[in-house]
Amino acid sequence: MSETSAPDGLPVTLPPVTDNGPPPSSPAFLARASILLAVATLLSRILGLVREMLIAKYYGSTGQTDSFFFALIIPELLRTLIISGAIASVFIPLMTEMQRAGKASEARRLAGMMLSFVTILALGAVIAGELFAPALVRFSEIISFTDEPLDPERFKLTTELIRILLPIVLLVGLWGLMGGILNAMDNFHIPGLSPVAWNGFIIIFLIFFGYRADVHDLAWAFVIGHLIQVFFHLPALMKAGIRPVIIDWKHPMLRRFMELAPVAVLAYTAQAVNAFVGQGIALHLSESSASSLMYAFRIQQLPIAMFGVSVATAIFPTLSRHAAAGLGKDIVNTLARGLRMTSLATLPATVFFLVLPVETIRLILERGAFTESNTWDVSNALYWYAWAVIPMSLLLLTTRTFFSEKDTRTPALLGFVNMGLYYVFAVMMSRYFGFAGIAITGGITSWVILIVSIFILHKRHLKNASFFGAIGMKSILQMLIAAIVQAAVLMVYKNFISSIQASWPLLGAIIGAMIIGAIVYLGTLWLMRSQDLASTMRILFRRR
């Protein structure tokens, strides 16, 4: 057993390798790693909900929060366009390849060069963003086809907030790369827990200063929180012997990275560009539209981050090892296992949001400056965002599969299609349905891209065989039946709690809905003797 999988989980060195490289992780390890990430992410997301509750309490859903949330999108957009999470996705297979070749020290050196490389790129992006911040706000007016530009005060506020938040480009870029390096070493708990520190700092800030701080102060708190998140990774990286080093521009692996990264960046661009487009259009709709979308989107991301991101992150190193060994059948089996595990977990969450969106938002956000009218707006957006939970979660797996094979062109092309579809539908749907049309668009485009992705993987690895047979269509049908039964039970339950307004009784009612929904969903699967449920439970509770 490598030191990275020791009981305390501390990554003291790179995983030892043999001539054949580190063995792929077992199903039990994948399941436990996914659960570890899910628990860490759950803790982070709970704190994230507390953070959103406090933001809603002190700042509500207004024109100022519209400007803040739009400004918060800009660092993510620039990070994706210039650096991107694709850097970690491209880098992990390269680092894995070096580990398979027994070049542990060289892998550490390459990781150090990447830290230096990302720092240089990110600083350039921050400086450019500071100079062109007003142009970014004006561009939102162009893409929204609005006849009424922002008033001077809101334009000024939005520009100021963008400039405060821009250092996040550097901080999140480093955080993403550091997490990718540790994931390549089968260390998932440090990257999984780092958002806890970020959310914790912002919560402390809001508790002590939220009642008197304006949105400028809130923006600074977000920057400092991201800085803490970066520092959280440093001890593990230093123990592993990884630190920034002088860049060797002639290093063969760095040159390969430079060849793969530009197209990989395009593959990850779609989500960030779509978020910018959606928030940009909403910024020019009725007041609080952009805020309503962002509040709903943050809540929708809870099951995606808990299960979609966790499973995708856990299986990515194993997918990379299978791809490096040319084991196409094992790639399909690992992907199929991930698709089933993700569907099993995200389907009941989707049902919950579809049946109880108003009660959910009322419990989480409706207090202080956040009014009942805001609740109805955000719950409307959450209902439509719920339809995208499953496809967005599964797309994380299919995209990681392409990257494990060092295929950056396919996800890049899919990204272009995604952006084009999203923009057309967002403009069109917002004309008829307001800000809710933007949430509807997210579900439409996610399902389309997921179906196309599965079709491509099917043709690549299974030829004439059935992909549905490979992923276990019987198990998927059982999950759908269980979800329908869960929805029916929750709709009856909803009639008994719809009149509850007070926070503590409503909390009890929502917890009751979660427990009842889980029992009905899992119980229905058990009655149908779901092999997927049984096998998942077995590998969760047995030792590696």
Side-chain angles (χ1 to χ4, degrees):
M1 181 181 293
S2 71
E3 290 176 287
T4 54
S5 58
D8 60 4
L10 293 178
V12 292
T13 63
L14 282 172
V17 295
T18 65
D19 291 338
N20 296 322
S25 302
S26 67
F29 173 77
L30 289 179
R32 286 201 303 273
S34 298
I35 290 296
L36 173 64
L37 287 169
V39 171
T41 304
L42 175 61
L43 177 59
S44 174
R45 291 291 167 162
I46 290 174
L47 293 177
L49 286 180
V50 174
R51 180 197 69 214
E52 295 302 309
M53 290 168 62
L54 292 171
I55 292 175
K57 177 180 179 179
Y58 292 118
Y59 301 96
S61 183
T62 65
Q64 284 199 341
T65 54
D66 285 350
S67 294
F68 173 78
F69 287 128
F70 175 76
L72 198 58
I73 288 292
I74 302 301
E76 178 63 21
L77 174 65
L78 292 179
R79 180 189 73 87
T80 304
L81 292 174
I82 306 299
I83 300 169
S84 178
I87 286 185
S89 296
V90 172
F91 176 72
I92 289 176
L94 295 179
M95 188 171 178
T96 300
E97 186 176 323
M98 297 185 75
Q99 290 175 341
R100 282 184 56 84
K103 300 177 180 178
S105 61
E106 194 63 18
R108 288 195 292 269
R109 179 168 171 257
L110 178 62
M113 285 192 286
M114 284 300 304
L115 289 173
S116 301
F117 181 70
V118 166
T119 300
I120 293 172
L121 278 179
L123 286 174
V126 171
I127 294 171
E130 296 287 349
L131 293 174
F132 296 103
L136 292 169
V137 183
R138 292 192 185 95
F139 186 66
S140 71
E141 298 173 354
I142 296 173
I143 63 174
S144 64
F145 290 102
T146 182
D147 295 326
E148 299 181 6
L150 293 177
D151 65 74
E153 286 300 317
R154 286 190 68 190
F155 189 96
K156 178 184 177 184
L157 173 63
T158 306
T159 303
E160 290 172 349
L161 292 173
I162 289 173
R163 285 177 166 152
I164 293 173
L165 291 165
L166 274 169
I168 292 176
V169 177
L170 170 62
L171 300 175
V172 178
L174 288 173
W175 167 70
L177 178 59
M178 290 175 175
I181 292 171
L182 294 177
N183 288 159
M185 298 157 54
D186 283 342
N187 181 339
F188 299 103
H189 68 285
I190 295 294
L193 288 172
S194 63
V196 174
W198 168 56
N199 282 318
F201 173 80
I202 297 174
I203 289 171
I204 292 172
F205 166 82
L206 289 167
I207 290 174
F208 288 99
F209 303 104
Y211 69 95
R212 62 180 181 181
D214 65 12
V215 288
H216 296 85
D217 301 316
L218 180 61
W220 281 113
F222 268 69
V223 173
I224 296 172
H226 280 295
L227 181 62
I228 294 172
Q229 196 173 29
V230 170
F231 286 151
F232 197 83
H233 290 76
L234 293 181
L237 288 173
M238 292 178 67
K239 284 188 176 183
I242 297 173
R243 55 183 53 84
V245 298
I246 297 174
I247 301 173
D248 177 7
W249 298 102
K250 296 181 180 180
H251 192 286
M253 284 298 186
L254 184 60
R255 292 172 69 89
R256 285 183 61 187
F257 170 79
M258 297 288 284
E259 293 172 0
L260 293 171
V263 183
V265 166
L266 296 177
Y268 274 86
T269 295
Q271 182 175 357
V273 170
N274 290 350
F276 173 78
V277 168
Q279 284 290 301
I281 293 174
L283 187 66
H284 299 278
L285 297 175
S286 59
E287 185 174 299
S288 84
S289 292
S291 300
S292 296
L293 283 175
M294 185 57 75
Y295 282 126
F297 180 76
R298 293 276 177 79
I299 294 172
Q300 178 231 27
Q301 288 296 297
L302 176 61
I304 295 174
M306 279 181 58
F307 305 111
V309 173
S310 299
V311 175
T313 302
I315 73 171
F316 187 51
T318 297
L319 284 170
S320 299
R321 291 164 189 161
H322 289 323
L327 303 174
K329 183 178 179 181
D330 289 336
I331 291 175
V332 173
N333 289 337
T334 301
L335 172 62
R337 189 183 307 119
L339 291 174
R340 293 196 303 271
M341 289 176 63
T342 303
S343 299
L344 183 71
T346 55
L347 191 53
T350 298
V351 171
F352 184 87
F353 286 153
L354 289 174
V355 177
L356 299 166
V358 175
E359 291 76 10
T360 300
I361 300 304
R362 180 174 293 143
L363 172 66
I364 296 173
L365 301 178
E366 191 179 308
R367 59 185 53 80
F370 196 93
T371 65
E372 183 177 359
S373 175
N374 297 145
T375 293
W376 286 101
D377 288 342
V378 177
S379 61
N380 186 25
L382 178 61
Y383 174 85
W384 292 110
Y385 270 136
W387 292 100
V389 169
I390 293 176
M392 288 179 70
S393 299
L394 299 184
L395 273 171
L396 294 169
L397 296 167
T398 57
T399 301
R400 294 292 181 98
T401 303
F402 289 126
F403 276 114
S404 71
E405 300 174 306
K406 301 184 182 66
D407 175 10
T408 57
R409 293 183 179 275
T410 300
L413 291 173
L414 290 174
F416 272 117
V417 174
N418 192 344
M419 288 185 287
L421 286 175
Y422 187 92
Y423 181 64
V424 171
F425 276 98
V427 172
M428 179 176 64
M429 300 294 280
S430 64
R431 293 288 185 270
Y432 293 98
F433 301 102
F435 65 87
I438 298 173
I440 295 171
T441 297
I444 294 174
T445 56
S446 296
W447 278 109
V448 170
I449 300 303
L450 176 63
I451 292 171
V452 174
S453 298
I454 290 177
F455 176 80
I456 293 172
L457 289 169
H458 168 244
K459 290 297 182 182
R460 178 177 299 177
H461 293 292
L462 296 178
K463 306 298 182 185
N464 296 323
S466 170
F467 188 85
F468 292 109
I471 64 174
M473 193 59 189
K474 178 181 178 181
S475 182
I476 297 298
L477 290 174
Q478 289 174 332
M479 293 179 201
L480 289 174
I481 293 172
I484 292 172
V485 176
Q486 176 199 3
V489 172
L490 286 183
M491 289 178 69
V492 174
Y493 182 82
K494 179 184 175 75
N495 292 327
F496 293 96
I497 68 171
S498 58
S499 61
I500 298 176
Q501 299 289 330
S503 295
W504 287 109
L506 185 58
L507 173 61
I510 291 295
I511 292 175
M514 291 179 177
I515 295 173
I516 291 172
I519 291 174
V520 170
Y521 178 76
L522 295 176
T524 304
L525 286 174
W526 180 77
L527 289 174
M528 291 188 292
R529 297 184 179 181
S530 168
Q531 292 298 314
D532 203 58
L533 175 64
S535 62
T536 299
M537 298 302 293
R538 282 197 301 270
I539 64 178
L540 286 179
F541 294 105
R542 74 169 182 242
R543 298 184 63 84
R544 183 172 178 171

